[in-house]
């Protein structure tokens, strides 16, 4: 019986090396394709499955990191800092802290709820999309996710962030203030909408972490790789037991 061991340095390492290395490694990829075909594999589908597996691992890791309590460290928007500083000077710092805590706990819960969005995007990914990612730039997967998941993530994040802010006890008053503020005939008004601020920043942080995980996959495939890709490239080259 042949061992289906993941020959990751030869497989995923070549595949996720980035576009700058693709020309040099294409002969090896072609050799792997021929070997896989002779072993009865549908190469593109197998490769796509392995890539999806690696992407799921990366997005799960990013979401798990940011959904831990204390992982987020959002502060009030810069435009609101003068007000926050004044409140602290007059002994209302605990109120500011409460709002910022609500912002961060809401962001962390939203990230956890957003993890399935990435799985859905990955599962819906076509073979061509998956193969295109390995031939793209260093953050091709992250860019793909932004295009495919940003709208769905925003929809998931909004009620969770809103609920967290409501727990501060000031939400209704704040919304009344925000509605009046938005009607002021001022130019270059800073954005004081805490909901959109928290959602935008938590999504940016999540995509940043996904980009870091993508870098790990590309730079250290031996630890981050997929056994499926190893099977495609290694099944015909491993000695029989």
């Amino acid at each position: 019986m042949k061992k289906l061991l993941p020959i990751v340095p030869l497989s995923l390492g070549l595949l996720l090396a980035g576009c700058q290395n693709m020309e040099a490694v294409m002969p090896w990829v072609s050799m792997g394709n021929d070997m896989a075909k002779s072993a009865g594999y549908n190469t593109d589908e197998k490769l796509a499955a392995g890539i999806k597996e690696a992407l799921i691992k990366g997005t799960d890791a990013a979401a798990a990191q940011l959904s831990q309590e204390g992982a987020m460290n959002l502060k009030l928007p810069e435009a609101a800092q003068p007000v926050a500083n004044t409140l602290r000077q007059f002994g209302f710092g605990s109120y500011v802290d409460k709002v910022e805590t609500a912002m961060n706990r809401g962001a962390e819960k939203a990230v956890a709820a957003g993890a399935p969005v990435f799985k859905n995007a990955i599962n819906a990914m076509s073979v061509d999309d998956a193969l295109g990612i390995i031939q793209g730039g260093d953050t091709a997967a992250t860019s793909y996710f932004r295009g495919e998941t940003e709208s769905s993530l925003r929809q998931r994040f909004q009620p969770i962030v809103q609920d967290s802010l409501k727990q501060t006890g000031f939400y209704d008053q704040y919304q009344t203030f925000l509605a009046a503020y938005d009607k002021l005939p001022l130019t270059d008004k800073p954005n004081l909408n805490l909901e959109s601020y928290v959602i935008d920043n938590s999504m940016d942080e999540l995509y940043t972490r996904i980009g870091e995980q993508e870098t790990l996959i590309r730079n250290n495939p031996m630890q981050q790789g997929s056994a499926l890709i190893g099977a495609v490239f290694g099944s015909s080259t491993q000695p029989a037991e």
Side-chain angles (χ1 to χ4, degrees), residues 13-14 16-27 29 136 138 218:
L14 299 177
L16 296 178
C19 60
Q20 65 272 24
N21 296 322
M22 285 304 296
E23 183 177 352
V25 304
M26 282 308 297
V29 174
D138 291 343
R218 292 181 186 275

Side-chain angles (χ1 to χ4, degrees), residues 144-161:
Y144 179 88
F145 285 136
R146 271 198 178 273
E148 295 295 320
T149 66
E150 196 160 6
S151 177
S152 297
L153 278 182
R154 191 172 295 278
Q155 292 177 8
R156 286 197 177 225
F157 279 25
Q158 196 273 335
I160 297 171
V161 171

Side-chain angles (χ1 to χ4, degrees), residues 193-230:
N193 188 321
L194 286 187
E195 279 184 35
S196 63
Y197 172 81
V198 173
I199 292 171
D200 290 345
N201 280 272
S202 55
M203 288 176 62
D204 285 345
E205 184 65 26
L206 180 55
Y207 287 123
T208 297
R209 291 296 178 96
I210 289 174
E212 292 171 356
Q213 290 297 318
E214 181 176 2
T215 298
L216 288 177
I217 293 173
R218 292 181 186 275
N219 292 347
N220 198 350
M222 183 173 292
Q223 293 184 9
Q224 306 294 329
S226 164
L228 286 176
I229 292 183

